[in-house]
Amino acid sequence: MYEYGTRPSTDKELHVSIHSGGQMVSPERFMATVAALKPDLYVSLCDEVTADAKPKRVATSTKRTTAWLESCLRLHGAYQHNTNQQQQQQQQGQQPNQDTSDGPATEEYGTAAQTPHHRAPQAGCCSSNHSNDNSTGTDKGDTSGAVNGETGGGDGDGDGGGGGGGGGGGGGLLGPLSGSLLLAALGGGGLVAERSRAAAAVADMEGVGGYAVCGLGTGEDPALRPALISASLEPLPAAALEHKPVFTPGLSSSPEDILLAVGEGVDLLDCALVAQITAGGYALTFPLRPPPGGPPSAAAENTAMAEVGTGGGGAGGGGVEDVPAVSTSAAAAAAVSVPTSVPAAAAAGGVSSGALCGSSPERGPSPDVSRGADDTKINLWSTSYRADRGPLLPGCGCFACRRHSRAYVHHLLNTHEMLGDVLLEAHNTSHVNAFCQLHPT
Amino acid sequence: MRSPASPHARQPPLLLFPPTHTHSSLFPASHSPLLPSPPPPRQVVAVQGRARSSRMTLPHFTAHTPMFMSVGTQGSVKGLTTQQLEELDCHVILGNTYHLQNRPGSELVAEMGGLHDFINWPRGMLTDSGGFQMVSLLHLAEITEQGVTFQSPVDGSTLLLTPEESIAIQNRLGADIIMALDDVVPTTANDPARFEEATHRTTRWIDRCLAAHSRPHEQNLFGIVQGGLDPRLREISMQVGSKRGRSGVGWGGVGWGGESGDDFWRVVSQCTAGLPAGKPRYVMGIGYPLDIVVCSALGADMFDSVYPTRTARFGVTLVPEGTLKLKNSIYARDFRPLDPGCSCMVCQRYSRAYLHNVVTRGAISSAAILVTYHNVAYTQSLTRGMRQAIEEQRFPEWVRNYLKTMFPKGDVPGWVRDAMAAADVSLEGVVAEDLPSPPPSTALAAAAAAATAAAAPSPAPPAEQ
């Protein structure tokens, strides 16, 4: 959330840059958009600052974010029952259920019955609470609450045939955000005291469904990160943290980042890692579990790093390649509680524990710079894979590893074929997912 | 492939793919020239008019025809996994000899167990000869009796593709069907002497291809008929070609958007009429659904084109009514699936509005992939529909339905009407009555009409000048 552009944010509105240009977004406009999107979780409107923001700026952002959170909470409550149209009518002081549209839209095709049926509702999700917001047809009139003039929840109902909750809108029935969780944005930049203050302001608010520790991954010293996260979470009621999810956007550009955050109590991370890795032509290979006997000592680790890869799996060998243990920082290793024994065979996605554990006695090959690899990933652009019939990562049960070879992926990258990225992304996504799923609770 | 000497020095072209020990040790040549390549076992399941539905047993798969083959030029049908291609019930896909020899190289592919294993495609595979690149890269190519000299678009080096080398590469790639190298001249070229030369050279080259073919029992070698739009040359090409033992016959040079619909169908008709019924007939480079239907009605069996997959990447969707150009804003609020009658994954899960949104965002791969997936599904459903209709002896009705959907006002193009008449498919109830059937557009076409009338079972339209 970098503040360039001609109009900076104000106390009333956040300035955002999107593909169509700059926009000013008030809490009302924000919430109308959220209501149209009907997410399962969303973060409240946040005046996010970077970690190097000056104290005065940070204080302003805390003030705004807290005020906007209150507005969002209020509107969140309203959207439990009201549709977007009703919400706008109420804001404009009109009678509820008054039809302000110009009649049915002529440019819209398809009904809920014709719309392709989306994935089945997930267990425990709020999807069963989604209503059919077809109260007064499409709203082509005043849509000041919505971004870019898109209409609110009335049209484009993509819920397929779900008839639950009765038809139409009207007071007392389920609104677009019934069942959605509002994650309260917790700011404070790179200042521990500000983070505490921001969190304390949220601690007693009602209706908060979870928390979002915003503004990290914007240039702060990674060593300070645990303290910053901790400062954002410590003032919150312990009972709330027991049951409510904590989300940290922007904090997952490496597996170490993920471990660190989870160690501090974070539950949800958005994962830029997969896209970045894939774009570079890499396949993730870091082990999903530490080797038996606990994390390596620093000394042993340094020895391992110094060894040039003499172990198995040379170029084009096609056999099982030994995967080096993940080199976590000492702090992260201390923060994570690691089992000393390898868990029984992981059920997740056919992953075999041996090859992915770094548990083999020989610890090699170490990061092989000549092949563009390091201890977490290999680079499929390397010509050493030209004739390698083995999978991206031996032992991995993902689609790409089950069905295709390194040689083929290397060829696809060389010829700039889309399928290369498709296969790498499938593998990398599967690998990160398995990493999180295998993590001890 | 880079020339070791200075690229500026005048020197004979570097042989692109000199015969290597790898080749001869893998596939020892042990037969005499002109030994016939046996046609793939083929069972004609049903015939109706000139259309036929058949099963062609290839080493890797039994393919059903009429069939449309998606093109995986560089070892990948762009954006789709081989598992998706199987889901979509593709029977045969194409690989391109020229491009695969460039990258990753046919020796490497052979090392990997052949193209099937390399890309993990268990069904049928066809490789072309590399001849088409001659035309598409024409300003960089020089054609002699020896072969085709290219300037590599990758690094500018000079390469030579001979019939022998084309076959050697294809032997290494290991496809079920391989194509003889032909001397391709685009039909729009206005040089009768060139067409004549190409016709005869293609014949001489098929002989060299047959002689060089080292895996006649594992790979079916198809010949190619040339002749441009001149029925006389086509006739010659077919006659001399039929004396060779080809597994099947393809013909190209049509459908690239150069010739008129009239010229197009007459060439196709002449070829299907003049080629033996027992061998598969392959019209190369045909991808418009309407063209596929017309050619199938005239008795063709196999088609390939990049059109369905390429046009998908521009957001153009194939539907029974024609095409949807998804970038058009009329789809912004159209929540129907691409084709309400299609049961493919994309039509089950996504709406036109969603895909419009993704397609207009710029180069986002998922849009290309989703529309590609549907377009391939569409071509497979099209050919499956035709096969079923032929087998159930209701093919003319199927065609009428198809044309009614595509031309609801009855404005079926003249060339389609003429072609269907030649195919003995009545278009009653489809065509608007007040539109006259136009005369053939060129003298060549008129001559072709006469030739077709002699060969075809049904009367051809009158040849007016």
Side-chain angles (χ1 to χ4, degrees):
Chain A
M1 314 311 118
Y2 300 95
E3 288 179 287
Y4 49 84
T6 50
R7 294 182 66 186
S9 305
T10 69
D11 283 354
K12 289 193 167 32
E13 292 176 314
L14 176 72
H15 178 267
V16 299
S17 279
I18 57 178
H19 70 281
S20 58
Q23 299 277 340
M24 298 303 290
V25 181
S26 65
E28 288 71 27
R29 188 178 182 194
F30 177 73
M31 289 302 292
T33 308
V34 173
L37 296 173
K38 296 191 204 166
D40 299 278
L41 308 136
Y42 68 97
V43 179
S44 63
L45 190 63
C46 175
D47 181 23
E48 196 168 292
V49 293
T50 53
D52 60 348
K54 302 277 197 303
K56 190 168 168 214
R57 178 69 186 91
V58 177
T60 306
S61 90
T62 300
K63 183 186 71 165
R64 285 177 187 164
T65 302
T66 308
W68 291 345
L69 172 58
E70 284 165 349
S71 303
C72 289
L73 280 167
R74 177 177 48 80
L75 290 162
H76 181 91
Y79 278 115
Q80 298 299 302
H81 306 293
N82 290 349
T83 64
N84 237 330
Q85 181 156 36
Q86 292 166 330
Q87 192 57 29
Q88 284 150 28
Q89 289 160 3
Q90 289 189 3
Q91 279 161 219
Q92 292 151 24
Q94 289 170 356
Q95 308 253 351
N97 293 329
Q98 183 176 359
D99 187 346
T100 58
S101 73
D102 294 329
T106 52
E107 289 111 315
E108 184 174 307
Y109 297 96
T111 63
Q114 271 187 299
T115 303
H117 195 75
H118 292 269
R119 60 192 177 279
Q122 294 120 20
C125 170
C126 43
S127 55
S128 56
N129 294 331
H130 289 168
S131 72
N132 291 327
D133 290 334
N134 52 3
S135 47
T136 50
T138 332
D139 178 304
K140 292 296 289 172
D142 175 38
T143 55
S144 60
V147 178
N148 284 341
E150 304 285 337
T151 62
D155 61 322
D157 186 359
D159 282 356
L173 294 175
L174 297 172
L177 291 185
S178 66
S180 290
L181 289 181
L182 182 155
L183 305 178
L186 303 172
L191 306 172
V192 167
E194 272 298 324
R195 286 211 166 256
S196 291
R197 200 166 74 80
V202 173
D204 295 327
M205 290 193 188
E206 301 249 332
V208 170
Y211 305 94
V213 182
C214 296
L216 296 178
T218 58
E220 72 276 7
D221 182 349
L224 292 179
R225 227 175 260 153
L228 291 170
I229 298 175
S230 175
S232 287
L233 298 182
E234 203 270 324
L236 302 172
L241 283 177
E242 276 288 308
H243 302 294
K244 297 181 182 176
V246 174
F247 169 46
T248 49
L251 258 204
S252 59
S253 32
S254 70
E256 289 86 347
D257 275 359
I258 297 174
L259 286 173
L260 184 152
V262 170
E264 288 300 320
V266 173
D267 305 294
L268 304 171
L269 302 103
D270 64 335
C271 193
L273 178 63
V274 169
Q276 291 162 357
I277 292 285
T278 302
Y282 293 97
L284 291 171
T285 56
F286 62 84
L288 301 180
R289 243 180 276 101
S297 69
E301 229 177 279
N302 290 337
T303 314
M305 291 308 165
E307 287 167 4
V308 177
T310 52
V320 173
E321 184 174 75
D322 296 324
V323 181
V326 66
S327 56
T328 54
S329 68
V336 174
S337 65
V338 184
T340 52
S341 64
V342 177
V351 163
S352 101
S353 46
L356 294 170
C357 209
S359 60
S360 53
E362 327 92 69
R363 297 161 58 80
S366 347
D368 188 342
V369 173
S370 69
R371 289 201 281 168
D374 67 17
D375 57 350
T376 64
K377 56 189 182 284
I378 57 172
N379 190 321
L380 274 301
W381 282 97
S382 167
T383 54
S384 65
Y385 299 118
R386 196 175 159 268
D388 189 337
R389 297 178 82 157
L392 293 172
L393 176 59
C396 175
C398 83
F399 176 86
C401 291
R402 274 186 290 110
R403 287 187 59 88
H404 294 290
S405 63
R406 290 171 170 181
Y408 186 48
V409 175
H410 170 77
H411 164 70
L412 292 171
L413 289 179
N414 258 342
T415 50
H416 307 284
E417 286 282 338
M418 266 188 277
L419 187 60
D421 287 345
V422 169
L423 295 179
L424 284 176
E425 181 148 344
H427 167 76
N428 291 332
T429 304
S430 164
H431 197 77
V432 172
N433 277 344
F435 178 60
C436 294
Q437 286 163 22
L438 288 174
H439 207 78
T441 50
Chain B
M1 248 65 82
R2 198 175 287 278
S3 168
S6 158
H8 303 293
R10 289 186 68 82
Q11 58 179 347
L14 183 71
L15 203 65
L16 173 62
F17 320 122
T20 62
H21 289 298
T22 310
H23 170 236
S24 46
S25 62
L26 276 179
F27 314 119
S30 57
H31 56 275
S32 57
L34 302 187
L35 198 72
S37 190
R42 196 166 150 270
Q43 180 206 358
V44 177
V45 174
V47 176
Q48 190 172 15
R50 291 170 69 173
R52 64 263 192 95
S53 172
S54 72
R55 310 270 184 271
M56 186 167 58
T57 302
L58 301 168
H60 286 85
F61 195 70
T62 295
H64 298 190
T65 70
M67 79 168 155
F68 179 79
M69 303 179 283
S70 293
V71 180
T73 304
Q74 303 192 102
S76 163
V77 177
K78 293 197 188 308
L80 300 182
T81 67
T82 50
Q83 183 176 76
Q84 287 173 318
L85 294 173
E86 258 186 282
E87 267 166 30
L88 292 164
D89 201 28
C90 296
H91 289 192
V92 178
I93 63 173
L94 256 73
N96 184 271
T97 294
Y98 172 76
H99 289 294
L100 288 169
Q101 178 60 16
N102 259 335
R103 299 181 291 201
S106 59
E107 281 91 352
L108 177 81
V109 173
E111 218 182 294
M112 295 287 110
L115 195 54
H116 284 87
D117 277 5
F118 182 55
I119 77 173
N120 195 10
W121 169 246
R123 295 186 174 191
M125 186 91 71
L126 185 152
T127 48
D128 71 322
S129 62
F132 182 67
Q133 272 64 46
M134 280 193 251
V135 178
S136 55
L137 304 171
L138 192 58
H139 63 289
L140 302 170
E142 192 200 327
I143 302 166
T144 64
E145 188 62 27
Q146 194 187 7
V148 185
T149 306
F150 297 83
Q151 218 178 39
S152 165
V154 178
D155 61 5
S157 59
T158 308
L159 315 164
L160 171 66
L161 182 67
T162 62
E164 289 77 12
E165 197 49 43
S166 169
I167 295 301
I169 296 168
Q170 294 187 75
N171 285 154
R172 287 192 284 266
L173 295 174
D176 302 79
I177 300 173
I178 65 177
M179 304 302 295
L181 185 66
D182 59 328
D183 184 1
V184 178
V185 182
T187 52
T188 47
N190 202 1
D191 185 353
R194 180 72 187 94
F195 279 111
E196 179 116 25
E197 177 193 46
T199 302
H200 297 294
R201 179 174 291 147
T202 293
T203 306
R204 291 192 291 276
W205 281 3
I206 178 72
D207 290 342
R208 286 166 62 182
C209 287
L210 282 161
H213 188 18
S214 62
R215 304 175 66 185
H217 299 289
E218 299 162 84
Q219 297 179 282
N220 300 288
L221 174 57
F222 279 28
I224 300 188
V225 168
Q226 282 300 333
L229 297 177
D230 184 347
R232 183 185 65 89
L233 290 176
R234 289 265 175 193
E235 193 58 39
I236 294 171
S237 193
M238 283 195 284
Q239 289 301 331
V240 293
S242 67
K243 296 198 179 71
R244 271 63 179 176
R246 300 166 302 189
S247 300
V249 184
W251 63 95
V254 289
W256 301 337
E259 77 285 355
S260 72
D262 216 45
D263 295 332
F264 162 63
W265 82 260
R266 290 178 200 282
V267 169
V268 172
S269 182
Q270 182 192 6
C271 291
T272 55
L275 290 169
K279 294 192 180 175
R281 302 168 184 156
Y282 169 26
V283 196
M284 308 173 74
I286 297 299
Y288 294 133
L290 182 59
D291 292 355
I292 295 171
V293 172
V294 168
C295 292
S296 298
L298 291 170
D301 306 299
M302 301 160 59
F303 315 94
D304 83 280
S305 173
V306 294
Y307 169 71
T309 43
R310 178 177 291 169
T311 206
R313 299 196 293 280
F314 293 97
V316 178
T317 312
L318 300 180
V319 293
E321 294 78 11
T323 58
L324 306 178
K325 295 180 172 52
L326 284 174
K327 290 187 184 176
N328 195 310
S329 60
I330 60 173
Y331 298 110
R333 305 176 90 80
D334 187 341
F335 300 106
R336 294 173 290 183
L338 292 176
D339 175 7
C342 178
S343 59
C344 84
M345 174 272 292
V346 175
C347 293
Q348 293 300 296
R349 294 177 68 91
Y350 302 100
S351 65
R352 297 173 181 190
Y354 170 71
L355 291 169
H356 163 82
N357 189 48
V358 186
V359 158
T360 51
R361 287 288 171 125
I364 298 188
S365 301
S366 62
I369 291 169
L370 291 173
V371 182
T372 298
Y373 189 95
H374 165 78
N375 279 6
V376 173
Y378 179 76
T379 58
Q380 295 313 303
S381 134
L382 182 80
T383 48
R384 210 163 30 234
M386 282 198 289
R387 294 193 295 264
Q388 244 178 323
I390 297 168
E391 286 164 30
E392 293 169 15
Q393 296 293 294
R394 51 174 178 82
F395 181 64
E397 184 193 321
W398 186 96
V399 173
R400 284 193 288 275
N401 250 349
Y402 176 78
L403 291 175
K404 257 190 274 193
T405 309
M406 190 171 276
F407 304 103
K409 291 191 246 172
D411 52 342
V412 178
W415 68 271
V416 175
R417 283 181 273 150
D418 294 343
M420 288 307 174
D424 202 18
V425 171
S426 157
L427 296 187
E428 192 180 314
V430 178
V431 179
E433 290 307 322
D434 53 357
L435 295 173
S437 178
S441 57
T442 64
L444 271 181
T452 311
S458 54
E464 299 165 32
Q465 290 300 341

